[in-house]
Amino acid sequence: MKVCDINPYIRFANSNHTFLYPKHVCARDHRLFFLQEGHAHVIVDGRTYSISPGTLMLWKAGTDYCFEADQQLRLIVINFDYSQSCSGQVAAMSVLPADAFTSDLVLESVVFEDAELFNTPLVLDNMQRFEAPLLQIASDYITKMVYFGEYTSAILKQTLIDLLRCSLTRNVRSSKAIQSIIQYIHNHYACEITNQTIAKE
């Protein structure tokens, strides 16, 4: 699949979802979470992340995950497909215990050719800029105004593309900074170079 082919089908969306998943689970469709309140750890495919308000999480169907928290978490939750191919499966789908989940339960297997970022689980902090469009999706899904399916699909596609662009911008900035440091060291190798001088430059 390519990014231009994304045409999301939103199966469930909620902006005030409170829950704890004390056990490892998997879902049949893709999951997007935005943490609004609370602090926790999320274990995704065996890797543990600390999450706090503003953390955005995205992973594909069949991903093993578990939230560990001492308190209830408040999240925006969106269950979706990247295409409309399974839109006949309209009911919200409960998660299943990871040890009982098999790959044939996955509704939609997707591999992106031009967006490697979406092929692995994402746990990104400081993503507050995405809260407003995700809240809009949840609001329209709940009220089900005319054309809510098309409207929320369009917002989610734009959000996913914005997420890709944000990630690319971060990577470009990081790459430019690294290249600048290397160039500075190359130009001043005969001088005494400290972390402070590099930071100042």
Side-chain angles (χ1 to χ4, degrees), residues 4 16 19 32 36 46-47 53 68 74-75 82 94 100 109 111 115 139 142 153 163 170:
C4 63
N16 195 22
F19 67 148
L32 189 154
Q36 296 174 289
R47 186 171 175 188
E68 293 183 341
R74 189 162 68 89
L75 303 107
Y82 282 103
S94 299
S109 294
V111 176
S139 173
I142 291 165
S153 177
L163 186 58
R170 279 183 169 187

Side-chain angles (χ1 to χ4, degrees), residues 151-178:
Y151 186 66
T152 56
S153 177
I155 296 173
L156 183 55
K157 180 169 183 174
Q158 181 179 348
T159 300
L160 291 168
I161 291 172
D162 282 347
L163 186 58
L164 279 172
R165 294 170 77 175
C166 178
S167 175
L168 290 172
T169 301
R170 279 183 169 187
N171 291 341
V172 166
R173 285 178 183 159
S174 297
S175 178
K176 285 182 177 177
I178 290 166

Side-chain angles (χ1 to χ4, degrees), residues 14-174:
N14 191 305
S15 62
N16 195 22
H17 204 66
T18 56
F19 67 148
L20 289 176
Y21 285 157
K23 297 182 180 178
H24 285 262
V25 296
C26 295
R28 297 187 65 197
D29 48 10
H30 312 299
R31 292 293 197 253
L32 189 154
F33 299 97
F34 182 89
L35 183 58
Q36 296 174 289
E37 288 182 11
H39 292 80
H41 290 95
V42 61
I43 304 168
V44 188
D45 275 349
R47 186 171 175 188
T48 302
Y49 303 86
S50 293
I51 59 172
S52 56
T55 300
L56 185 148
M57 297 155 274
L58 172 70
W59 46 77
K60 294 198 285 189
T63 299
D64 180 329
Y65 67 97
C66 172
F67 287 99
E68 293 183 341
D70 297 328
Q71 59 194 334
Q72 280 204 324
L73 307 175
R74 189 162 68 89
L75 303 107
I76 300 170
V77 178
I78 299 175
N79 306 354
F80 72 100
D81 300 331
Y82 282 103
S83 72
Q84 298 285 322
S85 63
C86 296
S87 59
Q89 298 273 356
V90 295
M93 297 183 175
S94 299
V95 293
L96 298 169
D99 56 8
F101 195 88
T102 55
S103 59
D104 61 304
L105 294 172
V106 169
L107 282 184
E108 175 189 65
S109 294
V110 173
V111 176
F112 281 93
E113 300 172 35
D114 58 347
E116 186 60 35
L117 188 74
F118 291 158
N119 290 330
T120 57
L122 294 179
V123 179
L124 304 171
D125 57 5
N126 299 316
M127 293 286 112
Q128 285 83 355
R129 62 179 283 191
F130 293 101
E131 185 171 11
L134 296 177
L135 284 170
Q136 185 65 58
I137 290 170
S139 173
D140 265 68
Y141 180 85
I142 291 165
T143 58
K144 291 185 168 43
M145 292 179 65
V146 64
Y147 301 119
F148 80 93
E150 292 80 2
Y151 186 66
T152 56
S153 177
I155 296 173
L156 183 55
K157 180 169 183 174
Q158 181 179 348
T159 300
L160 291 168
I161 291 172
D162 282 347
L163 186 58
L164 279 172
R165 294 170 77 175
C166 178
S167 175
L168 290 172
T169 301
R170 279 183 169 187
N171 291 341
V172 166
R173 285 178 183 159
S174 297

